[in-house]
Amino acid sequence: MDKVRSSVYWEEKVAKVFLWASVVITLGALLAVIFHILQHGLMHVSWEFLTKEPRLMGKEGGIFPTIVSTVYLIAISLAIATPIGIMAAIQLTEYTQKGSLVKVIRFATETLAGIPSIIFGLFGFAFLVLFMGFSWSLLSGGLTLAFMVLPTIVRTSEEAIKSVPLSYREGSMALGATKWQTIWKIVLPSALPGIVTGVILSIGRVVGETAAVILTAGSSLNIPASVMDPARSMSVHLYILAMEGISMEKAYATATVLIILIFIINTLATRVMRRMSSNLIS
Amino acid sequence: MKKLHENIIEKLLLVSAVAAIFVVALITYFIFADGLPVIQKYGLAHFITGIDWHPLEGHFGLLPMIVGSFLVTLGALLIGVPLSVGCAIFLAEIAPKQVTGLVKPAIELLAGIPSVVYGFYGLVILVPFIREVFGGRGFSILSGSIVLAIMILPTIVNISEDAIRAVPKDYKEGSLALGATHWQTIKKVIVPSARSGILTAIVLGMGRAIGETMAVIMVVGNVSVLPESILDPVRTLTGNIAIEMSYAAGEHSQALFATGIVLFVIIMILNLLVTLVPKRVGE
Amino acid sequence: MFKNSKKVMLVFALILTAVIVFSGCGKKEETPKDANSENAGLSGSVTIAGSTSVQPLSEELAKAFMAKNTGVTVNVQGGGSSAGVKAANEGAAQIGASSREINESEKGIGLTEHKIALDGIAIVVNPKNEVAELTLDQAKKIFSGEIKNWKEVGGEDAAINVVTREEGSGTRGAFEEIVLKDAKMFNKAITQPSTGSVKTTVAGDKNGVGYISLGSLDNAVKGVKIDGVEPTTDNVKNNSFKISRPFLYLTKGDMNEATKAYIDFVMGEEGQKIVVESHFISTK
């Protein structure tokens, strides 16, 4: 009996140490990256850097057009992927949970999630840029990115919807609500935090994607005037600055702005999510 | 009236769900249309088992890249999965609320950092470090695995944590009430219940690792020769496409689409395996 | 409930509107362009796509051109030489940019070549490396893997880490042709996909050696003399430094007015002045 108890005790100890260590290493590794970039980039970020147009391919001047283009790409891709993704998740969790169609849909979603971004890029180039004749444009880039983040939104929304306890649904149905009323009033609000996590992950992917964006949205440094204009996102700009050896200073500064942008988006999203879920539930 | 709009909504839901199939079909068509002719011309075995990649001379051996992709991803999972699942358990079960409130946004933030940034961090810091400490040229499977492991951490942590949190409280309380310790409850009740979510997280992480292009290119050395140790440089399938696509022409370009096909098929097989696993364990 | 269903409808309506506006934009955009190109005054838009080595130069040329012709927008894209050839051929861009001679399979498709500049290729080593000069033959043996240690060419006793560009790259193509000739590139050479990353790799590795565009040579790495000749634009121009390649603009069929004006500008005095200022070599 004692032996059992002490082995349980030791297992507990070891497990706790492992869990603590994994957090420390995870955060340590990630913060090391952030720290390195901020350390080299923060001093080069200024108001001029954010609001001026680049000169000499970005060697001098700012990054204003790339910020505008990044925001456009986020808006277009999520405007397309979010509603479709959430609706697909509802379909898969609330309407048809079994059957061969669902199996095929789920397999397709998983395949889509596993397809490397470079292949999305090749596909976007072959299909949207050339075949559909959209050329390099915000539209081609936004659509390609929408295809890319769709599975992320479907899966996270699905997990979130699945995690809403069955009793909520039964309660609502018992009160005479229709299936859709139940989903809209009960299930979605409860699943919202999970869904927003998916959207945040997707924004991160859109902002961070390089390969697919170069091939579909292009890398023109002009500010796009319509969705049919080519554009260069911040990540693409960073990639070109760094890989073509144009300016490491500006590359670090661009990376710093990217990190700050992500930070702002995440903070906003968390705020909105909190407010929405408290409004809807109460 | 109500019925009509619910009908419309249900149709829309179905169309949305089918959208994924449609997109996969489109992608498949466009990749295969470009890559298949060259595979038919040289034979599949030439691509899969060949070890010579000299695309300008008609040698399209992809074996070194297949091995490279496999080893780098495996390494990343070996390093990344224990860390990130551990981290997710910690955040969901052990950490006080304030700690989670600080750590979670930090990790979400890191998910958004462009892969190029991780790649350059790897190139500037990690590659020289490995060259000094372990020898070799620094560009290696090891550096690729470490960079990828860091990159997949946020994905796996975020999604596994949500899955663990979604385990109904009654399960945990029931287990504790029966006299199990907190760790026993985590190990025997919570993690198994959250298994499907954690597996989803790992698959997404694996997808990101196999599919990652830019960061990997910067740190693995891109040598298309079979590696002999984890300190040897390798080239991945994605790297092969990304590095050479911009300058490839004619058959060379088709061979890169063929690389895409190989990558595609490997991912299909992985997905099939994953859909099989939980059923066998669960039922 | 009523409120909520309205909300749903509103969201769908918004998405629909957005889609219609987006596609509408695209169509409207094209009509005025066509109309404009018929006008006597110079206006319209030119897209240049292709080689990332040419891109910085194109960007500068485009800026200067747009400053003079305010009615014209010149968009400069990357994508690589092959993408440039494809884009010019399929009409996705008016001009394709290439940093290598176009190859046999591309020659048949009826593209017009405009040689806008020349670029030298420098062999670079880490600044800490004692070796400052190589013969063309030594360079050949290093990059083919025959010479494996720096001491064989007068340096320290240390293994040489060869860094190369990817197969198909314009820089690599020219380098192989001029330096390696019949020999093959060392198959265990570290492969980097851009000038910048080759530079970073060599700058970070004391025993590294690579080759980069002369236009991006700076203090981070050391350009070695080849057969006693410094890698400078002057030496490329007077033909004493042998490793160089062309920058090409490719067009298909009859150019529209804006494209023609742009090409004339680039090939003219002002354009070639910018070429020289950007550390490339004028073809005139």
PDB file of all heavy atoms in Angstrom, chain A residues 12-31:
ATOM      1  N   GLU A  12       3.234  11.957  -9.552  1.00  0.00           N
ATOM      2  CA  GLU A  12       2.649  13.296  -9.454  1.00  0.00           C
ATOM      3  C   GLU A  12       3.725  14.362  -9.545  1.00  0.00           C
ATOM      4  O   GLU A  12       3.623  15.318 -10.292  1.00  0.00           O
ATOM      5  CB  GLU A  12       1.900  13.396  -8.116  1.00  0.00           C
ATOM      6  CG  GLU A  12       1.009  14.589  -8.022  1.00  0.00           C
ATOM      7  CD  GLU A  12      -0.459  14.201  -8.289  1.00  0.00           C
ATOM      8  OE1 GLU A  12      -0.710  13.099  -8.794  1.00  0.00           O
ATOM      9  OE2 GLU A  12      -1.311  15.017  -7.972  1.00  0.00           O
ATOM     10  N   LYS A  13       4.804  14.147  -8.754  1.00  0.00           N
ATOM     11  CA  LYS A  13       5.927  15.111  -8.735  1.00  0.00           C
ATOM     12  C   LYS A  13       6.518  15.281 -10.125  1.00  0.00           C
ATOM     13  O   LYS A  13       6.682  16.404 -10.620  1.00  0.00           O
ATOM     14  CB  LYS A  13       7.030  14.605  -7.785  1.00  0.00           C
ATOM     15  CG  LYS A  13       6.798  14.943  -6.344  1.00  0.00           C
ATOM     16  CD  LYS A  13       7.467  16.267  -6.010  1.00  0.00           C
ATOM     17  CE  LYS A  13       6.909  16.739  -4.676  1.00  0.00           C
ATOM     18  NZ  LYS A  13       7.191  18.088  -4.324  1.00  0.00           N
ATOM     19  N   VAL A  14       6.862  14.133 -10.715  1.00  0.00           N
ATOM     20  CA  VAL A  14       7.515  14.157 -12.024  1.00  0.00           C
ATOM     21  C   VAL A  14       6.615  14.849 -13.049  1.00  0.00           C
ATOM     22  O   VAL A  14       7.068  15.683 -13.836  1.00  0.00           O
ATOM     23  CB  VAL A  14       7.864  12.721 -12.490  1.00  0.00           C
ATOM     24  CG1 VAL A  14       8.310  12.723 -13.956  1.00  0.00           C
ATOM     25  CG2 VAL A  14       8.944  12.136 -11.602  1.00  0.00           C
ATOM     26  N   ALA A  15       5.314  14.514 -12.987  1.00  0.00           N
ATOM     27  CA  ALA A  15       4.381  15.105 -13.936  1.00  0.00           C
ATOM     28  C   ALA A  15       4.349  16.622 -13.783  1.00  0.00           C
ATOM     29  O   ALA A  15       4.380  17.364 -14.763  1.00  0.00           O
ATOM     30  CB  ALA A  15       2.990  14.518 -13.735  1.00  0.00           C
ATOM     31  N   LYS A  16       4.274  17.066 -12.526  1.00  0.00           N
ATOM     32  CA  LYS A  16       4.229  18.520 -12.277  1.00  0.00           C
ATOM     33  C   LYS A  16       5.481  19.192 -12.841  1.00  0.00           C
ATOM     34  O   LYS A  16       5.406  20.229 -13.492  1.00  0.00           O
ATOM     35  CB  LYS A  16       4.127  18.790 -10.771  1.00  0.00           C
ATOM     36  CG  LYS A  16       2.742  18.573 -10.207  1.00  0.00           C
ATOM     37  CD  LYS A  16       1.968  19.886 -10.059  1.00  0.00           C
ATOM     38  CE  LYS A  16       0.469  19.654 -10.045  1.00  0.00           C
ATOM     39  NZ  LYS A  16      -0.010  19.025  -8.808  1.00  0.00           N
ATOM     40  N   VAL A  17       6.641  18.580 -12.570  1.00  0.00           N
ATOM     41  CA  VAL A  17       7.896  19.151 -13.071  1.00  0.00           C
ATOM     42  C   VAL A  17       7.868  19.216 -14.593  1.00  0.00           C
ATOM     43  O   VAL A  17       8.226  20.225 -15.202  1.00  0.00           O
ATOM     44  CB  VAL A  17       9.117  18.322 -12.590  1.00  0.00           C
ATOM     45  CG1 VAL A  17      10.386  18.755 -13.325  1.00  0.00           C
ATOM     46  CG2 VAL A  17       9.294  18.487 -11.097  1.00  0.00           C
ATOM     47  N   PHE A  18       7.390  18.117 -15.215  1.00  0.00           N
ATOM     48  CA  PHE A  18       7.325  18.081 -16.676  1.00  0.00           C
ATOM     49  C   PHE A  18       6.417  19.195 -17.212  1.00  0.00           C
ATOM     50  O   PHE A  18       6.764  19.899 -18.148  1.00  0.00           O
ATOM     51  CB  PHE A  18       6.815  16.717 -17.156  1.00  0.00           C
ATOM     52  CG  PHE A  18       6.391  16.714 -18.595  1.00  0.00           C
ATOM     53  CD1 PHE A  18       7.354  16.770 -19.604  1.00  0.00           C
ATOM     54  CD2 PHE A  18       5.049  16.695 -18.944  1.00  0.00           C
ATOM     55  CE1 PHE A  18       6.973  16.791 -20.928  1.00  0.00           C
ATOM     56  CE2 PHE A  18       4.662  16.722 -20.277  1.00  0.00           C
ATOM     57  CZ  PHE A  18       5.622  16.771 -21.261  1.00  0.00           C
ATOM     58  N   LEU A  19       5.253  19.360 -16.577  1.00  0.00           N
ATOM     59  CA  LEU A  19       4.322  20.378 -17.063  1.00  0.00           C
ATOM     60  C   LEU A  19       4.911  21.777 -16.915  1.00  0.00           C
ATOM     61  O   LEU A  19       4.847  22.590 -17.832  1.00  0.00           O
ATOM     62  CB  LEU A  19       2.986  20.270 -16.317  1.00  0.00           C
ATOM     63  CG  LEU A  19       2.169  19.011 -16.619  1.00  0.00           C
ATOM     64  CD1 LEU A  19       0.857  19.017 -15.854  1.00  0.00           C
ATOM     65  CD2 LEU A  19       1.897  18.880 -18.123  1.00  0.00           C
ATOM     66  N   TRP A  20       5.494  22.018 -15.745  1.00  0.00           N
ATOM     67  CA  TRP A  20       6.134  23.327 -15.543  1.00  0.00           C
ATOM     68  C   TRP A  20       7.232  23.553 -16.571  1.00  0.00           C
ATOM     69  O   TRP A  20       7.318  24.599 -17.197  1.00  0.00           O
ATOM     70  CB  TRP A  20       6.730  23.435 -14.131  1.00  0.00           C
ATOM     71  CG  TRP A  20       5.748  23.965 -13.130  1.00  0.00           C
ATOM     72  CD1 TRP A  20       5.042  23.254 -12.223  1.00  0.00           C
ATOM     73  CD2 TRP A  20       5.362  25.338 -12.947  1.00  0.00           C
ATOM     74  NE1 TRP A  20       4.234  24.078 -11.484  1.00  0.00           N
ATOM     75  CE2 TRP A  20       4.411  25.361 -11.908  1.00  0.00           C
ATOM     76  CE3 TRP A  20       5.727  26.532 -13.576  1.00  0.00           C
ATOM     77  CZ2 TRP A  20       3.826  26.540 -11.466  1.00  0.00           C
ATOM     78  CZ3 TRP A  20       5.139  27.707 -13.145  1.00  0.00           C
ATOM     79  CH2 TRP A  20       4.192  27.707 -12.095  1.00  0.00           C
ATOM     80  N   ALA A  21       8.069  22.512 -16.737  1.00  0.00           N
ATOM     81  CA  ALA A  21       9.193  22.652 -17.660  1.00  0.00           C
ATOM     82  C   ALA A  21       8.697  22.933 -19.073  1.00  0.00           C
ATOM     83  O   ALA A  21       9.258  23.776 -19.784  1.00  0.00           O
ATOM     84  CB  ALA A  21      10.047  21.390 -17.653  1.00  0.00           C
ATOM     85  N   SER A  22       7.614  22.238 -19.474  1.00  0.00           N
ATOM     86  CA  SER A  22       7.153  22.449 -20.846  1.00  0.00           C
ATOM     87  C   SER A  22       6.671  23.874 -21.051  1.00  0.00           C
ATOM     88  O   SER A  22       6.892  24.464 -22.105  1.00  0.00           O
ATOM     89  CB  SER A  22       6.061  21.439 -21.214  1.00  0.00           C
ATOM     90  OG  SER A  22       4.967  21.570 -20.363  1.00  0.00           O
ATOM     91  N   VAL A  23       6.040  24.448 -20.027  1.00  0.00           N
ATOM     92  CA  VAL A  23       5.597  25.839 -20.162  1.00  0.00           C
ATOM     93  C   VAL A  23       6.797  26.773 -20.251  1.00  0.00           C
ATOM     94  O   VAL A  23       6.854  27.665 -21.103  1.00  0.00           O
ATOM     95  CB  VAL A  23       4.715  26.253 -18.964  1.00  0.00           C
ATOM     96  CG1 VAL A  23       4.382  27.732 -19.056  1.00  0.00           C
ATOM     97  CG2 VAL A  23       3.456  25.440 -18.960  1.00  0.00           C
ATOM     98  N   VAL A  24       7.772  26.535 -19.372  1.00  0.00           N
ATOM     99  CA  VAL A  24       8.940  27.419 -19.339  1.00  0.00           C
ATOM    100  C   VAL A  24       9.693  27.352 -20.671  1.00  0.00           C
ATOM    101  O   VAL A  24      10.045  28.375 -21.253  1.00  0.00           O
ATOM    102  CB  VAL A  24       9.870  27.054 -18.162  1.00  0.00           C
ATOM    103  CG1 VAL A  24      11.187  27.822 -18.264  1.00  0.00           C
ATOM    104  CG2 VAL A  24       9.179  27.365 -16.844  1.00  0.00           C
ATOM    105  N   ILE A  25       9.885  26.119 -21.184  1.00  0.00           N
ATOM    106  CA  ILE A  25      10.624  25.985 -22.449  1.00  0.00           C
ATOM    107  C   ILE A  25       9.831  26.594 -23.611  1.00  0.00           C
ATOM    108  O   ILE A  25      10.367  27.346 -24.416  1.00  0.00           O
ATOM    109  CB  ILE A  25      10.934  24.496 -22.746  1.00  0.00           C
ATOM    110  CG1 ILE A  25      11.868  23.950 -21.674  1.00  0.00           C
ATOM    111  CG2 ILE A  25      11.558  24.341 -24.127  1.00  0.00           C
ATOM    112  CD1 ILE A  25      12.089  22.452 -21.754  1.00  0.00           C
ATOM    113  N   THR A  26       8.535  26.281 -23.663  1.00  0.00           N
ATOM    114  CA  THR A  26       7.705  26.823 -24.740  1.00  0.00           C
ATOM    115  C   THR A  26       7.781  28.344 -24.759  1.00  0.00           C
ATOM    116  O   THR A  26       8.106  28.962 -25.766  1.00  0.00           O
ATOM    117  CB  THR A  26       6.235  26.405 -24.546  1.00  0.00           C
ATOM    118  OG1 THR A  26       6.182  24.991 -24.474  1.00  0.00           O
ATOM    119  CG2 THR A  26       5.361  26.888 -25.687  1.00  0.00           C
ATOM    120  N   LEU A  27       7.462  28.932 -23.591  1.00  0.00           N
ATOM    121  CA  LEU A  27       7.466  30.394 -23.535  1.00  0.00           C
ATOM    122  C   LEU A  27       8.866  30.943 -23.776  1.00  0.00           C
ATOM    123  O   LEU A  27       9.042  31.932 -24.481  1.00  0.00           O
ATOM    124  CB  LEU A  27       6.949  30.869 -22.176  1.00  0.00           C
ATOM    125  CG  LEU A  27       5.443  30.964 -22.073  1.00  0.00           C
ATOM    126  CD1 LEU A  27       5.074  31.531 -20.714  1.00  0.00           C
ATOM    127  CD2 LEU A  27       4.868  31.829 -23.185  1.00  0.00           C
ATOM    128  N   GLY A  28       9.857  30.272 -23.196  1.00  0.00           N
ATOM    129  CA  GLY A  28      11.239  30.726 -23.355  1.00  0.00           C
ATOM    130  C   GLY A  28      11.633  30.777 -24.814  1.00  0.00           C
ATOM    131  O   GLY A  28      12.142  31.796 -25.299  1.00  0.00           O
ATOM    132  N   ALA A  29      11.350  29.691 -25.541  1.00  0.00           N
ATOM    133  CA  ALA A  29      11.715  29.632 -26.957  1.00  0.00           C
ATOM    134  C   ALA A  29      11.007  30.725 -27.738  1.00  0.00           C
ATOM    135  O   ALA A  29      11.605  31.421 -28.557  1.00  0.00           O
ATOM    136  CB  ALA A  29      11.361  28.255 -27.531  1.00  0.00           C
ATOM    137  N   LEU A  30       9.713  30.873 -27.456  1.00  0.00           N
ATOM    138  CA  LEU A  30       8.933  31.837 -28.220  1.00  0.00           C
ATOM    139  C   LEU A  30       9.336  33.275 -27.878  1.00  0.00           C
ATOM    140  O   LEU A  30       9.487  34.122 -28.757  1.00  0.00           O
ATOM    141  CB  LEU A  30       7.445  31.616 -27.958  1.00  0.00           C
ATOM    142  CG  LEU A  30       6.915  30.265 -28.462  1.00  0.00           C
ATOM    143  CD1 LEU A  30       5.509  30.004 -27.966  1.00  0.00           C
ATOM    144  CD2 LEU A  30       6.937  30.195 -29.984  1.00  0.00           C
ATOM    145  N   LEU A  31       9.527  33.528 -26.591  1.00  0.00           N
ATOM    146  CA  LEU A  31       9.894  34.885 -26.200  1.00  0.00           C
ATOM    147  C   LEU A  31      11.297  35.251 -26.692  1.00  0.00           C
ATOM    148  O   LEU A  31      11.565  36.406 -27.003  1.00  0.00           O
ATOM    149  CB  LEU A  31       9.799  35.048 -24.674  1.00  0.00           C
ATOM    150  CG  LEU A  31       8.358  34.997 -24.156  1.00  0.00           C
ATOM    151  CD1 LEU A  31       8.323  35.129 -22.636  1.00  0.00           C
ATOM    152  CD2 LEU A  31       7.503  36.102 -24.789  1.00  0.00           C
TER     153      LEU A  31
END
